[in-house]
Amino acid sequence: MEKTVIMNGGDYPVVEEEGKAGFGGGVEDVYGEDSATEDQLVTPWTVSVSSGYTLLRDPHHNKGLGFNEKERDAHYLRGLLPPAVFTQELQEKKLMHNLRKYDVPLHRYMAMMDLQERNERLFYKLLIDNVEELLPVVYTPTVGEACQKYGSIFSRPQGLYISLKEKGKILEVLKNWPEKSIQVIVVTDGERILGLGDLGCQGMGIPVGKLSLYTALGGIRPSACLPVTIDVGTNNEQLLKDEFYIGLRHKRATGQEYAELLDEFMSAVKQNYGEKVLVQFEDFANHNAFELLSRYRSTHLVFNDDIQGTASVVLAGLIAALKLVGGTLADHTFLFLGAGEAGTGIAELIALEISKQTKAPLEETRKKIWLVDSRGLIVSSRKESLQHFKKPWAHEHEPVKALLDAVKAIKPTVLIGSSGVGKTFTKEVVEAMSSFNKKPLILALSNPTSQSECTAEEAYTWSKGRAIFASGSPFDPVEYDGKVFVPGQANNAYIFPGFGLGLIISGAIRVHDDMLLAASEALAVQVAQENFDKGLIYPPFTNIRKISAHIAAKVAAKTYELGLASRLPRPKDLVKYAESCMYSPIYRSYR
Ligand code: NAD
C-alpha cells in the first residue's frame, strides 16, 4: 500500500495509509464526487499531500536546503533540491548576507515577507537572532512605506479582510481562515496608520507586522495569530482615485453603520474563538480607539497598544529613571505636549501608579500631571469644549497658550512629547527645563524621527549633558563633553509581546489596568546598572525574549491575583512556565 504524507495543520506531517483520509467528513465527498454526473453539484474536496513539491511550497513545513538526506528520501524531495544540505544557521547567514546587500529598506521588507511566505521557521529565526537590525525592517519605520505601497508590492494576500460587504457574514468569514485555534488577533481599520493617516485597506501591513513581533519577541505560535483589517472605506482621496486600490472605493462609514460592523466582528470573534482570545486594536483613529476600548473592555479580552501599550512602556521608563533622578513618582510633576491616545493613556497610567503607591485618590494624583494640546494648556476654563478623554486633565490654572510658557508656569520635572509634531522642544524649552531641574527627564516620543520633539543631540547639548533622554524613534549615541550618552527608545515592542504572552499563559479573560502596571514594573527592573551608567532607562533589546518572559510572568501573576485567570492550577514558577510556552523557530525533524 502506498504511503502519503498528509498535512495535519500541526508541526509534523503525519503518515497515513492510502484511502484512509486524515480529515473527518472528507471521505464521503470523495466517493460522491466519483459518481457525480456533470449537472450535479459537487464539493471541491482536497487533501494536501505535503511531500515532494508541495512540501517545498508549504511555508509551515518547508526547510529548503535544510532538509537532510533522510528527509529528502522519506518525503520525495530527491532531485527537487540541489545536492547541498545546509544547517539552519548557514541558511540564516546566507540570508542575512543577502538582506544586507539591499540599500532600500522597502526591498529588505519585501525580502523578509517573501521569506515568511517561503519558510516560516527561518523567517522567525532570522528575526529573533537579529532583532535589533530587523525590527525596523519588519515594523516601524519601514512597514509604513510598505502600507503606502501595499497594493503594488503584494501578490498574495496576507491576513483576513472584513469589509462592509461581509456584513451579516463575519462568522463565516472567520471560519474561512485556515487556522482554528487563534489566541491573538490584531485588528485595524486603517484610519490612522502610524503618522501616515488614513491608508484604508492597505493598513494590513500593521496587523501582519505586529503579529510577527508577537511571535518573534513574545513567543506566540504563528498559527495562533490572526491579522485582521476591517474595511469601511477610506477618506484618502488619493487612494479613492487610484485604479489599483485594493479596498472599498467609498468614503468611510461612520456612526451606526460602523458600530454595527465592529459589534458583529467582536461577537463573531468571541463565538468562534471563545472568551480567551486577545483582540488588540491597532492604529484606529483617536475617536474610535477610545470608544472601542471602553465599549469592549468589560465584555472581551481587549488591548489597545497605542493607548495602553504606550502607557505601560513609558511608565516603565519613568520608574526606571527614578534611579537616576531620585524620589518617587509622586515627587514629580509631569507636563505633556500632545493629549491624544498616547499622551492621555500615559498620563492616566502614571496617575494610577501614583495612586496605588500613595493610596491617594486618582482625582488627586491626576493633579500632578498637566497636558498641552494644540490650543494650549488644558485648564478648567476649557472644560466644556474638551473631548471627553481630555476632561480629567482640566485643572485649575489660568489659560496658557505656548509650551514654553507652560513649562515656565508648571515647572515640570518630566517633559513628554506626544503630539506627533516635530521640533517643538526648542532650545528655550530644554534650557527652561534645565534651569529648575538638576536632571530634567525629557521624552520625545513622536514618530517618525523627523517628527521627534528634539533630537538626542539637542537634548544633551542644550541641557549641558544633564538631561535623561529617551525617544519614540531611535537615535545614535551622542558624545558630549567627553562622555558618551546612549538614548533609550520607548519602543512598544518591549511590552506588548510579553503582555500578550502573560494573558495567554494564564488564560486571562479580561485586561485590568493593574496588569499594565505589573508589566511596567517588570520591564523597569530589567534595566541594569551598566545601562543606567550610559544614561539608558530601557534595557538593551537583544535580551527581549527573556524580558518578555519576565513581563509575561508578572502579568500572569497579577491575572491570577485578580481572579481573572482561567488556566488552573496556577503554575508555580511563572517565568519558567512562560519560557516553556514560547515558540521556538528551530527546525523540527521529520520522520
Ligand atoms: P493622536 O493623534 O491621538 O494625538 C495627538 C495629540 O497631539 C492630539 O491631542 C492633538 O490635539 C495634539 N497636537 C497636535 N498638534 C499639536 C501641536 N502643534 N501642539 C500641541 N499639541 C498638538 O496621536 P497619538 O497616538 O497620541 O500619537 C502621538 C505621537 O506619539 C505620534 O507621533 C506617535 O508616533 C507617537 N507615539 C510614540 C510611541 C512610543 O514612543 N512608544 C507610542 C505611541 C505613539
Side-chain angles (χ1 to χ4, degrees):
M1 181 160 290
E2 199 190 355
K3 300 249 171 127
T4 53
V5 181
I6 296 180
M7 297 273 303
N8 64 351
D11 283 315
Y12 300 96
V14 292
V15 179
E16 294 274 348
E17 286 177 1
E18 197 186 12
K20 292 182 188 167
F23 296 128
V27 177
E28 276 171 25
D29 294 333
V30 168
Y31 295 138
E33 195 169 338
D34 283 345
S35 59
T37 60
E38 276 183 13
D39 57 352
Q40 268 182 315
L41 292 176
V42 294
T43 307
W45 189 89
T46 152
V47 175
S48 322
V49 180
S50 72
S51 63
Y53 199 70
T54 321
L55 181 56
L56 291 180
R57 268 149 193 75
D58 165 19
H60 304 303
H61 297 97
N62 181 29
K63 305 189 205 177
L65 289 181
F67 283 111
N68 63 29
E69 303 289 356
K70 209 171 124 243
E71 288 169 333
R72 290 178 189 209
D73 279 332
H75 299 288
Y76 307 96
L77 295 168
R78 285 273 164 218
L80 300 182
L81 289 164
V85 175
F86 281 11
T87 60
Q88 199 177 11
E89 287 66 32
L90 189 61
Q91 287 181 301
E92 183 179 355
K93 187 174 165 192
K94 184 182 105 183
L95 278 160
M96 285 310 293
H97 178 74
N98 289 348
L99 269 181
R100 287 174 184 141
K101 280 201 262 178
Y102 292 116
D103 292 330
V104 181
L106 188 65
H107 293 164
R108 290 188 183 196
Y109 175 89
M110 287 162 72
M112 283 300 281
M113 291 300 112
D114 201 45
L115 176 62
Q116 191 176 20
E117 293 198 352
R118 214 170 56 235
N119 183 337
E120 190 177 82
R121 281 182 186 267
L122 193 53
F123 167 83
Y124 283 112
K125 179 124 176 53
L126 239 67
L127 195 50
I128 291 167
D129 293 346
N130 305 277
V131 64
E132 276 174 293
E133 184 175 347
L134 294 181
L135 202 64
V137 176
V138 300
Y139 206 64
T140 52
T142 317
V143 71
E145 193 187 349
C147 286
Q148 287 174 313
K149 299 177 179 159
Y150 213 74
S152 52
I153 61 176
F154 279 98
S155 44
R156 277 196 240 174
Q158 296 171 295
L160 199 63
Y161 292 88
I162 296 177
S163 76
L164 283 170
K165 282 191 199 171
E166 280 73 53
K167 195 159 186 278
K169 294 183 265 190
I170 297 181
L171 187 60
E172 289 166 48
V173 176
L174 291 180
K175 289 187 192 294
N176 287 345
W177 187 250
E179 304 292 347
K180 301 302 166 211
S181 54
I182 298 299
Q183 293 174 320
V184 188
I185 294 173
V186 174
V187 57
T188 187
D189 72 353
E191 190 167 0
R192 201 232 50 191
I193 296 299
L194 307 169
L196 303 167
D198 187 347
L199 295 185
C201 204
Q202 299 186 175
M204 183 57 103
I206 296 296
V208 168
K210 228 75 231 199
L211 283 165
S212 62
L213 303 190
Y214 257 113
T215 299
L217 317 183
I220 315 292
R221 270 182 302 119
S223 60
C225 298
L226 172 60
V228 175
T229 293
I230 304 234
D231 185 357
V232 295
T234 177
N235 296 339
N236 183 327
E237 290 297 336
Q238 223 180 326
L239 290 180
L240 288 173
K241 280 191 220 134
D242 180 354
E243 66 170 319
F244 299 124
Y245 176 55
I246 57 172
L248 291 183
R249 208 172 288 271
H250 56 66
K251 292 259 180 215
R252 280 186 176 273
T254 55
Q256 199 180 341
E257 197 180 8
Y258 179 87
E260 280 176 9
L261 192 75
L262 266 291
D263 213 42
E264 186 190 337
F265 169 69
M266 293 304 287
S267 307
V269 157
K270 202 159 151 177
Q271 198 178 336
N272 207 34
Y273 304 117
E275 192 86 18
K276 291 180 290 185
V277 63
L278 171 63
V279 180
Q280 177 167 318
F281 297 116
E282 198 68 41
D283 285 1
F284 281 77
N286 220 300
H287 53 116
N288 288 325
F290 286 107
E291 173 63 27
L292 291 171
L293 190 59
S294 76
R295 192 177 327 145
Y296 294 109
R297 66 185 306 165
S298 58
T299 54
H300 291 68
L301 184 69
V302 288
F303 174 67
N304 182 310
D305 190 47
D306 305 308
I307 301 172
Q308 297 168 299
T310 304
S312 186
V313 78
V314 172
L315 178 62
L318 296 176
I319 295 173
L322 292 175
K323 285 244 170 72
L324 292 169
V325 295
T328 65
L329 274 185
D331 298 328
H332 287 269
T333 305
F334 304 83
L335 180 67
F336 285 78
L337 179 67
E341 293 176 43
T344 57
I346 302 164
E348 188 65 17
L349 205 63
I350 297 173
L352 191 65
E353 176 78 358
I354 299 177
S355 165
K356 294 265 170 199
Q357 286 177 3
T358 59
K359 312 266 181 296
L362 201 53
E363 297 72 49
E364 277 308 306
T365 59
R366 284 190 184 127
K367 290 185 179 150
K368 299 285 291 178
I369 304 168
W370 297 82
L371 289 94
V372 171
D373 67 6
S374 51
R375 301 214 168 126
L377 191 64
I378 297 181
V379 290
S380 49
S381 56
R382 294 178 51 195
K383 201 158 185 171
E384 288 315 304
S385 61
L386 288 172
Q387 286 159 289
H388 68 95
F389 55 88
K390 293 184 184 173
K391 286 187 198 283
W393 311 103
H395 309 317
E396 285 301 328
H397 198 285
E398 64 201 39
V400 180
K401 265 251 156 300
L403 174 67
L404 180 60
D405 296 332
V407 168
K408 287 177 180 166
I410 305 294
K411 295 202 170 23
T413 53
V414 182
L415 180 64
I416 300 178
S418 56
S419 69
V421 185
K423 306 200 186 331
T424 38
F425 293 175
T426 57
K427 187 163 186 269
E428 291 72 27
V429 167
V430 175
E431 282 176 351
M433 282 295 291
S434 312
S435 69
F436 44 79
N437 290 301
K438 216 163 118 201
K439 288 185 176 174
L441 188 42
I442 297 176
L443 307 186
L445 299 181
S446 290
N447 296 311
T449 315
S450 59
Q451 298 310 108
S452 190
E453 282 76 7
C454 63
T455 64
E457 186 168 10
E458 287 166 345
Y460 295 125
T461 311
W462 293 338
S463 68
K464 300 202 165 34
R466 287 191 282 129
I468 312 292
F469 178 81
S471 53
S473 299
F475 282 105
D476 289 333
V478 174
E479 196 180 327
Y480 176 82
D481 209 11
K483 192 175 171 207
V484 176
F485 296 87
V486 186
Q489 191 191 356
N491 195 330
N492 287 32
Y494 276 118
I495 291 282
F496 75 82
F499 188 78
L501 180 65
L503 298 177
I504 290 170
I505 62 170
S506 58
I509 51 163
R510 298 287 178 271
V511 168
H512 190 285
D513 285 340
D514 286 2
M515 300 175 191
L516 296 169
L517 299 180
S520 303
E521 287 159 16
L523 176 58
V525 298
Q526 298 293 319
V527 191
Q529 190 54 48
E530 57 181 300
N531 310 136
F532 285 126
D533 292 343
K534 294 180 194 150
L536 278 167
I537 55 173
Y538 291 99
F541 225 86
T542 30
N543 296 332
I544 186 66
R545 281 181 60 111
K546 188 174 144 267
I547 294 169
S548 292
H550 276 87
I551 293 174
K554 287 282 189 243
V555 170
K558 186 54 81 179
T559 310
Y560 282 104
E561 193 186 312
L562 292 166
L564 292 170
S566 67
R567 183 153 298 165
L568 298 167
R570 176 196 193 279
K572 271 208 179 71
D573 186 335
L574 282 166
V575 176
K576 270 210 181 108
Y577 183 62
E579 280 169 346
S580 74
C581 292
M582 289 172 98
Y583 165 84
S584 156
I586 305 294
Y587 285 149
R588 303 291 180 86
S589 300
Y590 298 155
R591 57 178 131 105

